[in-house]
């Protein structure tokens, strides 16, 4: 996952996203699946375009800080698998399970 995941359009959750409390953030950060997803994000060099803080490094469309409020887990997974719009294809690089971990973690970003 390297580029424009945030730009793949579609999928709004409707309504406003609530701000996460420090307790909710801490709980998410201690979730073993999310820890693994963060490791995958780093290992696969996603930070080169999306940044360590998910703020994006290659224009505003690479910002993933609130991607979960724009896209469903399925839409995120499809973008990771199939790429497009500058995003490379990862379906042959990382496993379906790893794509699932990444998409759920990114979907939690609202």
């Amino acid at each position: 996952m390297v580029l424009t995941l945030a730009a793949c359009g579609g999928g709004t959750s409707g309504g406003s996203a609530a701000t996460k409390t420090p307790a909710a953030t801490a709980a998410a950060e201690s979730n073993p699946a999310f820890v693994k997803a963060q490791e995958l994000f780093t290992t696969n060099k996603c930070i080169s375009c999306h940044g360590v803080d998910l703020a994006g490094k290659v224009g505003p469309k690479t910002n993933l800080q609130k991607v979960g409020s724009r896209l469903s887990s399925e839409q995120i997974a499809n973008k990771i698998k199939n790429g497009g719009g500058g995003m490379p294809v990862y379906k042959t690089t990382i496993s379906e399970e790893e794509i699932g971990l990444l998409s759920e973690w990114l979907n939690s970003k609202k």
Side-chain angles (χ1 to χ4, degrees), residues 11-102:
T12 58
S13 61
S16 62
T19 302
K20 289 188 178 185
T21 65
T25 301
E29 289 172 355
S30 66
N31 178 334
F34 286 1
V35 171
K36 176 68 174 168
Q38 290 172 338
E39 291 171 5
L40 288 166
F41 193 80
T42 301
T43 302
N44 287 286
K45 298 181 176 70
C46 306
I47 60 174
S48 64
C49 289
H50 296 294
V52 175
D53 62 356
L54 306 178
K57 294 174 74 177
V58 190
K61 292 182 178 184
T62 61
N63 184 317
L64 300 179
Q65 291 178 329
K66 296 186 181 194
V67 69
S69 65
R70 295 186 303 273
L71 303 172
S72 69
S73 291
E74 295 79 21
Q75 290 170 312
I76 294 169
N78 284 332
K79 191 65 169 180
I80 295 168
K81 288 177 196 175
N82 302 312
M87 173 85 175
V89 173
Y90 278 90
K91 64 183 170 190
T92 59
T93 307
I94 57 178
S95 72
E96 189 73 28
E97 179 183 353
E98 291 170 329
I99 290 170
L101 289 172
L102 281 166

